[in-house]
Amino acid sequence: MSIDLLELETNEEILALLSLQIASYQVEAEIIGFRDIPPLKDGIASIREAKKEETFLGYFTCEAEINKLAGAISFSREGTVVTICRMMVHPDYFRRGIARALIQNVIDRQEQQGASRFIVSTGTDNTPAVQLYESFGFTTRRVFTVPPGVSLTTFERPASQ
């Protein structure tokens, strides 16, 4: 297992991320009952564009001596505020601590660089994600509805003292 920066320079690298992202976010779309979520609309061009603002990290497993991208996280930073933009784990790797490891990695590294606050959003009905974020001390900052009646929750947590 390793967590590494995803350069996303080649189409092949971006397609590997997109394959993971689609598999992961299709599960969230089913949970929240809304299939039109933005990560399911991404393509090579939109990931290249996102890379200008977001840092992408990948969680790699080693199977049969081949590194496989099993999870990824992206975040942006404005001043001392870090926003987790994407959190994804391939369904074949659910419940193995991959999301937890990625979030902890971002929190640890960004706190070392002076981050004061972390923000993340997910579908309100995405109970596994809500429970994961709450286990890290994230608390509800706001709940809002987007058409057609889907509820999203934004969570926030201060940096550790």
Side-chain angles (χ1 to χ4, degrees), residues 55-72:
T55 299
F56 288 81
L57 301 174
Y59 183 107
F60 292 88
T61 63
C62 188
E63 296 177 9
E65 298 188 31
I66 296 172
N67 281 338
K68 178 169 173 136
L69 182 62

Side-chain angles (χ1 to χ4, degrees), residues 34-98:
F34 182 62
R35 297 194 179 280
D36 205 26
I37 58 178
L40 293 176
K41 297 178 180 181
D42 274 327
I44 291 173
S46 59
I47 294 294
R48 284 192 196 283
E49 191 63 29
K51 192 181 146 219
K52 293 176 183 177
E53 301 291 325
E54 299 172 42
T55 299
F56 288 81
L57 301 174
Y59 183 107
F60 292 88
T61 63
C62 188
E63 296 177 9
E65 298 188 31
I66 296 172
N67 281 338
K68 178 169 173 136
L69 182 62
I73 191 169
S74 77
F75 64 93
S76 63
R77 182 166 172 158
E78 188 172 323
T80 62
V81 178
V82 175
T83 300
I84 296 172
C85 306
R86 304 163 200 254
M87 176 67 254
M88 58 193 102
V89 175
H90 193 282
D92 291 347
Y93 296 92
F94 281 0
R95 318 278 312 145
R96 296 190 191 181
I98 292 172

Side-chain angles (χ1 to χ4, degrees), residues 5-143:
L5 179 67
L6 296 176
E7 297 292 342
L8 303 174
E9 294 295 329
T10 67
N11 286 352
E12 182 179 55
E13 292 169 325
I14 294 171
L15 288 171
L17 176 73
L18 283 170
S19 176
L20 165 66
Q21 181 169 296
I22 289 167
S24 178
Y25 280 98
Q26 281 178 333
V27 173
E28 180 170 13
E30 288 177 24
I31 290 171
I32 67 173
F34 182 62
R35 297 194 179 280
D36 205 26
I37 58 178
L40 293 176
K41 297 178 180 181
D42 274 327
I44 291 173
S46 59
I47 294 294
R48 284 192 196 283
E49 191 63 29
K51 192 181 146 219
K52 293 176 183 177
E53 301 291 325
E54 299 172 42
T55 299
F56 288 81
L57 301 174
Y59 183 107
F60 292 88
T61 63
C62 188
E63 296 177 9
E65 298 188 31
I66 296 172
N67 281 338
K68 178 169 173 136
L69 182 62
I73 191 169
S74 77
F75 64 93
S76 63
R77 182 166 172 158
E78 188 172 323
T80 62
V81 178
V82 175
T83 300
I84 296 172
C85 306
R86 304 163 200 254
M87 176 67 254
M88 58 193 102
V89 175
H90 193 282
D92 291 347
Y93 296 92
F94 281 0
R95 318 278 312 145
R96 296 190 191 181
I98 292 172
R100 180 168 296 286
L102 286 163
I103 294 167
Q104 191 65 60
N105 185 284
V106 168
I107 289 171
D108 291 347
R109 288 184 183 199
Q110 292 303 304
E111 283 183 347
Q112 289 174 0
Q113 296 175 21
S116 65
R117 188 165 40 120
F118 296 86
I119 298 171
V120 67
S121 297
T122 192
T124 302
D125 291 337
N126 187 349
T127 303
V130 169
Q131 290 173 343
L132 175 66
Y133 298 135
E134 288 176 342
S135 76
F136 276 96
F138 282 89
T139 57
T140 300
R141 181 169 147 201
R142 73 180 187 135
V143 177

